[in-house]
Amino acid sequence: MNILAFGPNGSGKGTQGAIVKEKYGLDHIESGAIFREHIKGGTELGMKAKVFIDSGDLVPDEITIPMVLETLGNSKDKGWLLDGFPRSLAQAEALDKALDESGMALDYVLEINLDREIAKDRIMGRRLCANDNNHPNHIAFDAIKPVEKDGELVCRVCGGELSMRADDQDADAINKRHDIYYDDSTGTVAALNYFKNSGKSKVISVDGSKAIDVISEEIMAQLS
Ligand code: AMP
């Protein structure tokens, strides 16, 4: 099963992705997380990408597109949930072409809808687990609240160290990311519409303002 997940930063896309990945044994491919791993590892790609990420700009296509397509190819047998890519119409077209060429089907397009102001408020409360990107933590949601250990907040799943993303604490970077997402002419909403209109995949649309477990039940009910 191959799924493409769309939703603005702060919509809970990563949280739902982690739940779906677990249930269906898929690879959860997050373009942003791949970049963060490269930055952590001090690779050349990471160093090139960092300046764009810190300011909330898109990493150029000549770096991003081959990186994501290579990762997808490696998950061909297992199936994947792709999150964070495509973010533009140009990336959508590149992905569509690559899927056709490789014979991979896109079974589902998942869309998590959320008002921009609510998404913005949510971003600042999320925390990253140092051990596993699929351990969502958020200080404002009981279902995924970090736990306290020796006076520190740690990951609720594994007790790992938590950090905040620099681009999550910078209002300008958040605004830029949302400008890119909600742009329906060449941005991420345009990419979403490209796949919705292609008629090749089943579209699942959910309301991201609902509770985490309600949203995941709605998604599961439509995945078969
Ligand atoms: P995310 O973790 O999805 O919020 O992504 C963090 C940052 O990584 C973004 O703000 C971009 O700078 C970069 N990034 C992630 N995915 C892409 C993409 N598909 N195209 C270009 N840049 C990306």
Side-chain angles (χ1 to χ4, degrees):
M1 179 193 292
N2 298 326
I3 307 171
L4 202 49
F6 287 93
N9 283 119
S11 63
K13 185 165 39 88
T15 303
Q16 296 300 335
I19 295 170
V20 171
K21 163 213 150 87
E22 200 57 39
K23 165 110 186 180
Y24 294 94
L26 305 174
D27 280 336
H28 188 190
I29 301 170
E30 292 185 74
S31 46
I34 302 175
F35 283 130
R36 284 188 288 279
E37 281 301 310
H38 274 281
I39 293 171
K40 215 162 136 186
T43 70
E44 198 186 327
L45 191 153
M47 285 186 300
K48 280 189 192 154
K50 189 175 184 321
V51 50
F52 299 98
I53 292 175
D54 284 347
S55 61
D57 289 310
L58 289 183
V59 178
D61 280 353
E62 58 268 30
I63 301 176
T64 308
I65 294 176
M67 178 189 86
V68 174
L69 296 183
E70 188 193 331
T71 312
L72 272 188
N74 295 337
S75 298
K76 193 172 177 178
D77 295 336
K78 208 168 162 194
W80 40 261
L81 182 140
L82 179 56
D83 169 347
F85 184 97
R87 259 178 160 85
S88 67
L89 190 54
Q91 290 184 357
E93 288 165 353
L95 175 63
D96 194 24
K97 184 164 169 265
L99 291 178
D100 277 349
E101 283 170 5
S102 69
M104 276 191 271
L106 177 59
D107 303 297
Y108 296 95
V109 173
L110 168 63
E111 168 190 24
I112 303 184
N113 295 302
L114 193 63
D115 175 78
R116 183 169 175 155
E117 280 309 306
I118 302 175
K120 188 175 169 184
D121 286 345
R122 283 185 179 181
I123 288 179
M124 292 191 171
R126 60 185 186 185
R127 299 291 180 267
L128 271 188
C129 170
N131 297 331
D132 192 330
N133 188 53
N134 278 294
H135 290 172
N137 287 269
H138 196 293
I139 58 171
F141 292 97
D142 285 342
I144 53 169
K145 211 170 232 168
V147 293
E148 210 176 309
K149 191 179 152 206
D150 303 330
E152 299 275 332
L153 288 181
V154 295
C155 174
R156 60 180 231 291
V157 182
C158 68
E161 214 175 287
L162 293 178
S163 64
M164 291 186 267
R165 284 169 47 178
D167 58 341
D168 278 358
Q169 307 305 316
D170 175 337
D172 286 343
I174 294 172
N175 276 331
K176 247 192 239 175
R177 279 142 72 201
H178 280 159
D179 282 345
I180 294 167
Y181 185 83
Y182 292 100
D183 172 356
D184 62 2
S185 64
T186 57
T188 312
V189 169
L192 165 64
N193 289 337
Y194 176 93
F195 282 102
K196 280 170 87 172
N197 295 335
S198 79
K200 293 183 195 168
S201 320
K202 181 172 172 190
V203 179
I204 300 176
S205 295
V206 292
D207 173 358
S209 68
K210 293 185 180 170
I212 293 169
D213 55 340
V214 174
I215 299 175
S216 54
E217 275 167 28
E218 284 181 12
I219 295 172
M220 301 300 181
Q222 294 189 66
L223 291 172
S224 47

